[in-house]
Amino acid sequence: MSSPRNEIDFSVTSATSAASGGPMAAPPVADLAPESWAALLAPRLAQFAGVARQEHITQAARDLSVPQPTLSRAMARLETDLGVALLARRGRTVALTPAGRAFAASVERALAEIERAVEAVRTDADPAAGKVAFGFLHTMGPETVPALIREFREDHPRVRFALVQSYGEDMIERMRAGELDLCLTSPVPDAPDLVTRRLDEQRLLLVVPADHRLAGRRRVRLAEAADEAFVTLEPGYGLRRLTDALCEQAGFRPRVAFEGEEPETLRGLVAAGLGVALLPPPTVARPGVRELSVTAPRAVREIGVAWMAGRPDTRPVGDFKRFLLGRRGRLAGPPPGQDEP
C-alpha cells in the first residue's frame, strides 16, 4: 500500500450567491446492476492487473496467493465476457495484446483510485489526524471560526479542516449530500433529518451612515428607521429573513434599496449613504458608519450547530462536536468599543 498522503491542514471554499449557489456537482457514478460491467468485472480487475504486470500466470498466481488454475480460468472468463482477447499465451508466459495493454492501463488507474479512496477515508477517520468538514456563515469567518479552530487544535494539533463558507440552506444541502460533517448556522434549522443545538445568540445592530440623523444616538427603536432605505442580504439568507421579520414586528415593511452577499459589503454601502442595515457586530469598527443598539423589538439572532441525524461520527468529528457544544454561550460577544445594553 502507498504511504499516507501529505495534505494541507485547511481547505476553504465559499458559496458566493444564494441565487446561483448550491451543492457541488456530483461525481459520475457507475451502474451497479448485476448485469453491468462494473459489477461483472470488478472482482477480477486486480487479478488481471497482476497477470498484466508479470506477463506470467504462475508468477501472478503466486503474487496474488490464488491457485494457478483458478487464475487461468478467471482470465479466460474475463476475455469471454468482454469478447476481446487480452492475452496472447506462449506456454507458461503470456503477452498483452494491444487491447490488453490499453485495458491494463485503465485498470491500473481504476485500482489506484480505489487505493487512494480507501487511504483517504482511513486517514480522515484517524483519531489524531483525521479531517472535519465544517460549514459556517460568512459573518462567522473573520474572527469566530478561526478562534474556535485555534482553541480546538491546542488539544488536537493534527486534526485537519475542510472549511466551507456559505449561507444556511446551502450548508444544510451540503450536509445531506455528505460534503459537510456539521455546520454553524443561523437561524437554527428545524428538520426531521437534522440534529441541532442552540449555542448562543448574537445581537443585531442598526448600522447607519456617520452623518445620519440617528448617528448621534447609542440606542434606537427599529420603528424609527421605518422611512429609511435598507441594504440587505439577498433572499435565501437567514439574516435577510430575520431582517424582514424584525421590521414586521416594528410595524413596517423595509424598503430595500440594495441587496448583497457579504455583510461587510453592506456596511460599505451604508458608509456611502445608500441606506441603513441590520447586521451582526463587526470584527473591527468600520469608519463612516455608526452601530446602534436596537431596543425594540429585541434584535438578536440565534446561532446553532447542526448535523445529520443517524450519521456516525469519525473520532475527529465527534471531538469537534463536543468542543462546540462546550462553547455554549461563548460564541458571540459585544461589538468593538461597546458594552451590552
Side-chain angles (χ1 to χ4, degrees), residues 219-238:
R219 297 175 176 83
V220 65
R221 291 177 295 109
L222 188 56
E224 296 178 71
D227 295 330
E228 301 289 338
F230 274 72
V231 296
T232 72
L233 295 179
E234 296 175 343
Y237 286 84

Side-chain angles (χ1 to χ4, degrees), residues 131-137 152 161-164 171-172 174-176 178-185 194-196 199 304-308 311 313-314 316-325:
K131 183 173 70 176
V132 178
F134 181 44
F136 54 93
L137 300 170
F152 176 74
F161 284 83
L163 304 177
V164 173
M171 289 191 293
I172 299 304
R174 287 174 182 247
M175 283 202 306
R176 287 175 173 144
E179 298 173 21
L180 291 177
D181 296 310
L182 68 167
C183 68
L184 200 62
T185 187
L194 300 179
V195 178
T196 60
L199 296 180
V305 61
W307 61 87
M308 297 302 301
R311 182 178 294 172
D313 291 334
T314 63
V317 171
D319 287 344
F320 188 59
K321 187 183 296 183
R322 286 187 288 274
F323 168 79
L324 290 177
L325 295 176

